[in-house]
Amino acid sequence: NAGVTQTPKFQVLKTGQSMTLQCAQDMNHEYMSWYRQDPGMGLRLIHYSVGAGITDQGEVPNGYNVSRSTTEDFPLRLLSAAPSQTSVYFCASSQQSQNTIYFGEGSWLTVV
Amino acid sequence: QKEVEQDPGPLSVPEGAIVSLNCTYSNSAFQYFMWYRQYSRKGPELLMYTYSSGNKEDGRFTAQVDKSSKYISLFIRDSQPSDSATYLCAMGSRLIFGQGTELSVKP
């Protein structure tokens, strides 16, 4: 039972580079979301999706893009990495937004 | 002012102590309240889930919601070293998180 799988676990980027954080869930959940976690800030919602083909912005969407072509996958794209995007990123999914949310193990990103 | 405020800690207690973790919030429309536990370098995992006001108990853990005061609490009885983690409150349909409280239970 894989649950929510994120890749890569660790990544170092140079300023200006682009990359995609992958997220996949095998629980047939409709709701998926991306958070970033910074010291003293808790988790902040970046983007979320209530189903395939539907995405919306969260609290801190600038600099990130998402798409939801399938129920299983919800990739997060950094368009032009900046040092301010150094953070730990968590993908999450649930059957509905109010239900139990399952988190992935996290992706540690450093932008130099 | 942040929508959800959580006592930042860190908090250090001896084994067996009762731990109280708290959050306040400003949005009276919140109906869903959750507590997550996060071990170092791991994703958060759901600990307690409460809908609207009242208490909920699960083993050594009790969650309380006071909507009139916009205040939620998590109590841990007979705390164990294995409870050492960061505890995050979360609420609302889009899950707004508090800053997290780092708890250390010393043997």
Side-chain angles (χ1 to χ4, degrees):
Chain A
N1 185 8
V4 180
T5 304
Q6 290 181 233
T7 56
K9 182 87 170 178
F10 301 99
Q11 183 72 50
V12 178
L13 283 179
K14 293 183 179 179
T15 297
Q17 285 185 319
S18 62
M19 78 156 297
T20 299
L21 299 176
Q22 301 292 344
C23 177
Q25 52 91 9
D26 61 359
M27 298 173 282
N28 201 32
H29 285 168
E30 291 295 323
Y31 184 84
M32 296 186 73
S33 53
W34 277 102
Y35 290 84
R36 59 177 290 172
Q37 187 174 32
D38 302 291
M41 303 290 287
L43 284 98
R44 293 181 291 169
L45 183 63
I46 304 172
H47 285 285
Y48 64 96
S49 169
V50 298
I54 306 169
T55 63
D56 207 346
Q57 296 181 349
E59 183 184 358
V60 288
N62 292 341
Y64 307 96
N65 267 3
V66 292
S67 60
R68 185 92 180 272
S69 56
T70 67
T71 299
E72 295 78 19
D73 300 299
F74 191 45
L76 178 72
R77 297 182 186 84
L78 280 71
L79 309 172
S80 177
S84 61
Q85 293 178 303
T86 294
S87 187
V88 184
Y89 291 85
F90 288 99
C91 180
S93 77
S94 71
Q95 187 58 39
Q96 296 173 8
S97 62
Q98 297 92 335
N99 287 1
T100 302
I101 288 188
Y102 297 89
F103 284 86
E105 292 285 279
S107 296
W108 274 254
L109 177 67
T110 301
V111 183
V112 298
Chain B
Q1 181 187 2
K2 291 176 70 70
E3 269 193 292
V4 178
E5 296 277 2
Q6 184 173 357
D7 293 345
L11 191 59
S12 181
V13 301
E15 183 175 355
I18 296 174
V19 176
S20 172
L21 303 167
N22 309 291
C23 289
T24 59
Y25 63 96
S26 58
N27 190 339
S28 58
F30 286 154
Q31 296 279 20
Y32 300 92
F33 303 92
M34 284 143 278
W35 285 95
Y36 280 82
R37 178 175 60 195
Q38 185 178 23
Y39 291 113
S40 180
R41 305 188 79 80
K42 294 290 187 181
E45 56 180 343
L46 183 67
L47 196 58
M48 299 285 283
Y49 175 92
T50 308
Y51 176 75
S52 194
S53 283
N55 294 0
K56 187 173 184 178
E57 187 173 323
D58 184 2
R60 295 184 295 109
F61 298 88
T62 300
Q64 286 186 353
V65 175
D66 181 350
K67 292 193 71 179
S68 62
S69 301
K70 299 191 183 68
Y71 190 86
I72 71 170
S73 299
L74 177 71
F75 297 96
I76 307 174
R77 292 184 300 279
D78 187 26
S79 56
Q80 302 295 309
S82 59
D83 295 328
S84 298
T86 296
Y87 291 80
L88 300 129
C89 63
M91 53 196 78
S93 59
R94 294 285 172 253
L95 270 199
I96 308 298
F97 281 85
Q99 299 94 316
T101 300
E102 185 177 347
L103 172 67
S104 177
V105 181
K106 303 295 186 184

